[in-house]
Amino acid sequence: MSSPLERPAVRYGMGFTSAAILAFVAFAFLDGTVRWLVLGMAVLEVAVVPRFLEFTANREA
């Protein structure tokens, strides 16, 4: 059976959505160094989450 995680649009969409939420929280509620740390986490979300989800989709039996 096909998994939604096999579609690249879903994987990248999840990464961008979570990064957008982190960026919103960073700009709306945080300042200083903590803001930059959370924005760095958002960049990592965009870069890492799609690859992790692709690995997970390929490991399912």
Side-chain angles (χ1 to χ4, degrees), residues 12-51:
Y12 284 97
M14 292 175 76
F16 281 115
T17 302
S18 61
I21 292 169
L22 283 172
F24 172 76
V25 169
F27 283 112
F29 301 110
L30 305 173
D31 59 351
T33 306
V34 176
R35 176 185 285 176
W36 291 108
L37 288 173
V38 173
L39 288 174
M41 290 171 50
V43 170
L44 285 174
E45 285 282 326
V46 171
V48 174
V49 167
R51 289 190 173 104

Side-chain angles (χ1 to χ4, degrees), residues 2-19:
S2 179
S3 170
L5 295 178
E6 293 176 359
R7 297 177 43 204
V10 172
R11 293 192 308 261
Y12 284 97
M14 292 175 76
F16 281 115
T17 302
S18 61

